[in-house]
């Protein structure tokens, strides 16, 4: 789903800071950017996201990493937004636990869509939903042999 500008009534695509190019330039020129440093994480998460009315996901519109997960700066480090949202609502995440999505939307920070699980549970969840792209044989980019060559060896 395309990210939409956060300004009321605007249907343009969001480019940065949750705004379209037009509204971003206006805010930049008029100095209407509110400082995000020093604001509580919960407030930053609320301001940087919007509700998807179809899925009920609260989707992060800020920085998105190459892996598709939202990121937020906390101190001198970045943290995945779904983990930050979970910690704000439920406290610290135990060291051996992962924060998983029921909705399979990596940008979602809706705490009702998140649950704790271990790595094994995450892999089972991915396998059940067909999301783990395990490439076997010559389809794997690290393969040294074609399928025919491997069959000749056997």
């Amino acid at each position: 789903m395309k990210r939409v500008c956060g300004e009321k009534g605007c249907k343009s695509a969001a480019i940065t800071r949750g705004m379209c190019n037009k509204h971003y330039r206006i805010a930049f020129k008029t100095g209407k950017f509110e400082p995000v440093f020093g604001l509580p994480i919960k407030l930053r998460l609320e301001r940087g996201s919007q509700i998807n009315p179809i899925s009920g996901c609260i989707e992060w519109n800020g920085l998105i990493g190459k892996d598709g997960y939202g990121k937020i700066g906390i101190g001198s480090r970045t943290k995945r937004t779904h983990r930050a949202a979970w910690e704000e609502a439920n406290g610290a995440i135990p060291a051996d636990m992962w924060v998983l999505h029921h909705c399979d939307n990596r940008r979602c920070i809706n705490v009702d869509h998140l649950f704790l699980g271990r790595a094994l549970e995450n892999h089972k969840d991915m396998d059940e939903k067909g999301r783990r792209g395990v490439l076997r044989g010559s389809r794997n980019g690290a393969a040294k042999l074609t399928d025919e060559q491997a069959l000749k060896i056997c």
Side-chain angles (χ1 to χ4, degrees), residues 18 20 34 39 44 58 72 76 103 110 115 117 141:
C20 67
E34 295 180 28
L39 292 178
R44 291 175 57 200
I58 301 172
I72 189 168
S76 62
C103 58
N110 186 344
F115 65 101

Side-chain angles (χ1 to χ4, degrees), residues 11 13 25 29 40 43 52 55-56 71 77 79 93 111 115 124-125 133 136 145 149 154:
K11 303 287 186 208
R25 283 186 315 206
K29 286 179 182 177
L43 188 58
N52 180 331
S55 65
K71 292 183 155 193
R77 298 183 151 204
K79 181 178 267 192
I93 301 166
V111 185
F115 65 101
K124 284 182 182 177
D125 184 50
R136 305 213 183 275
L145 303 172
Q149 292 170 327
C154 295

Side-chain angles (χ1 to χ4, degrees), residues 63-69 71 106:
L63 177 65
I64 306 293
K66 290 179 183 177
D67 57 4
Y69 288 96
K71 292 183 155 193
R106 294 178 179 189

